[in-house]
Amino acid sequence: MAATIRPQSVRPRRSVLYMPGSNARALEKAKTLAADALILDLEDAVAPDAKAMARTQVCDAIKNGGYGKREMIIRTNGLDTAWGLDDVKAAAKVEPDAILVPKVNSAYDIQQYEAVINDVGASDKVALWAMMETPLGLLNAQQIAATAAEPGARLAGFVMGTNDIAKDTGLRLTADRVPLLYSLEVCVLAARAYGLAIMDGVYNDFKNETGFADVCAQGAELGFDGKTLIHPVQIDPCNAAFSPSKDEVQWARKIIAAFEEPENADKGAIQVEGKMVERLHAEIGKKHVAIADAIAELGGNV
Ligand code: COA
Ligand code: MG
């Protein structure tokens, strides 16, 4: 039986840019950048002495708006730190699109965050995203994703924390990412099983254009919706890599139209331009068309 999942709107999440919540210039500049989503960070990008200032600055940025259609996410510190509880409460009060929480190890962790967000009285629209970045969290990926099927669940997304995975496991961040593949794919599977969005980890060497293009292409091949980014220069190539190509969309429209022909109404498999296509290909095609339409709708507004 399929899992019951939180309804998700079709929303492009090709490029998801982090910025330190303490960096006022970056928060302002982000209003002009073509990222689909922004993560205003209170965790690792912010030094301990700047945590309280960053919390106020980030919450003010969400309240004051000006970010157009970009999806707005606040990443908090963990509830096991001195700042986490205040971060989650403050973030929940200003109701960003999502609150991203770090180092999730278990379903129990998700319940703790949801309880704090609910206590503040945040609207149901505030989603919870989880950083997948600890060995235990990766081993528990299915259990964590499964919380999305609970009544009133907020969990709607996974974000890979590849730097922390390397730190905690000892694996090396090689150019081909072979050592990371198991961690990445187990999370893609868990996310898809329970209807979550999933974004790939960051690429630190932001001046290396070819290396970045390679990992973007690989992330799209692995099934990620998009990639988390650290620098504006990464946005355009990332948007390109995670957008369905013109050819893909054209082909999708052809398959969908072919199955809508009356003579194909009772067929499961047909021939289109010499290729066998099944109804499942029309389903894949509908996803490509929906995401392409959603990207077009974002238009120049992003
Ligand atoms: N978001 C928004 N704007 C950013 C940005 C980001 N992540 N990174 C850089 N910029 C802006 C800079 O403010 C600068 O703008 P300006 O020229 O209009 O003033 C411009 O882009 C060019 O920046 P540049 O000089 O190349 O980089 P930098 O030395 O200022 O910053 C980093 C380099 C890596 C420190 C910075 O990109 C950064 O903080 N990235 C995010 C780190 C993060 O959040 N990590 C946590 C998750 S892994
Ligand atoms: Mg991390």
Side-chain angles (χ1 to χ4, degrees):
M1 208 177 71
T4 314
I5 53 176
R6 192 177 200 268
Q8 287 247 22
S9 54
V10 177
R11 186 157 198 172
R13 297 190 176 96
R14 299 164 298 172
S15 50
V16 181
L17 177 67
Y18 282 105
M19 63 210 58
S22 49
N23 184 340
R25 169 81 196 133
L27 295 182
E28 195 51 36
K29 190 176 175 75
K31 293 176 181 170
T32 65
L33 299 173
D36 291 341
L38 305 173
I39 300 177
L40 315 187
D41 190 24
L42 301 176
E43 200 218 12
D44 283 351
V46 177
D49 287 351
K51 295 281 189 192
M53 175 276 276
R55 184 189 301 134
T56 307
Q57 191 161 273
V58 159
C59 290
D60 286 349
I62 299 286
K63 271 192 283 192
N64 297 334
Y67 292 92
K69 294 177 186 167
R70 294 170 191 80
E71 191 167 26
M72 301 300 292
I73 298 109
I74 298 178
R75 184 168 79 169
T76 69
N77 288 282
L79 284 177
D80 56 350
T81 68
W83 313 284
L85 183 61
D86 288 342
D87 283 353
V88 179
K89 283 185 181 168
K93 279 188 195 146
V94 295
E95 302 198 336
D97 294 301
I99 296 175
L100 172 61
V101 295
K103 302 179 177 68
V104 170
N105 282 318
S106 64
Y108 176 79
D109 289 352
I110 296 292
Q111 287 149 8
Q112 301 304 300
Y113 285 103
E114 286 184 341
V116 177
I117 298 169
N118 291 341
D119 279 354
V120 169
S123 112
D124 291 349
K125 288 189 191 131
V126 180
L128 183 65
W129 288 9
M131 291 298 305
M132 298 302 287
E133 56 186 345
T134 67
L136 197 53
L138 297 168
L139 289 169
N140 286 334
Q142 182 187 351
Q143 173 207 112
I144 294 166
T147 65
E150 300 292 325
R154 292 183 186 270
L155 187 68
F158 274 176
V159 176
M160 299 310 303
T162 41
N163 285 325
D164 268 297
I165 295 174
K167 170 178 156 279
D168 285 1
T169 62
L171 69 73
R172 306 254 161 89
L173 295 173
T174 58
D176 62 8
R177 301 205 300 171
V178 166
L180 263 178
L181 287 180
Y182 175 74
S183 303
L184 297 175
E185 203 51 24
V186 80
C187 290
V188 170
L189 294 175
R192 297 307 175 211
Y194 295 95
L196 306 181
I198 181 161
M199 277 59 67
D200 201 352
V202 300
Y203 187 72
N204 303 327
D205 187 6
F206 63 83
K207 296 203 168 148
N208 179 350
E209 288 174 29
T210 51
F212 182 63
D214 288 347
V215 291
C216 282
Q218 186 195 40
E221 285 166 6
L222 288 171
F224 286 97
D225 295 304
K227 190 166 177 66
T228 46
L229 308 177
I230 49 164
H231 192 279
V233 77
Q234 297 180 318
I235 296 171
D236 287 344
C238 189
N239 281 344
F242 286 93
S243 300
S245 70
K246 265 192 187 147
D247 287 352
E248 272 173 328
V249 176
Q250 258 178 11
W251 176 239
R253 290 193 198 280
K254 271 186 201 159
I255 301 174
I256 296 163
F259 273 111
E260 280 167 2
E261 292 294 330
E263 73 259 28
N264 292 330
D266 58 350
K267 291 188 187 141
I270 57 173
Q271 189 190 135
V272 178
E273 294 181 359
K275 293 195 186 84
M276 186 277 286
V277 292
E278 298 177 71
R279 286 189 181 271
L280 71 90
H281 296 111
E283 293 306 314
I284 298 171
K286 280 180 189 165
K287 283 188 192 157
H288 283 151
V289 170
I291 201 82
D293 287 348
I295 290 167
E297 203 174 299
L298 284 178
N301 219 339
V302 174

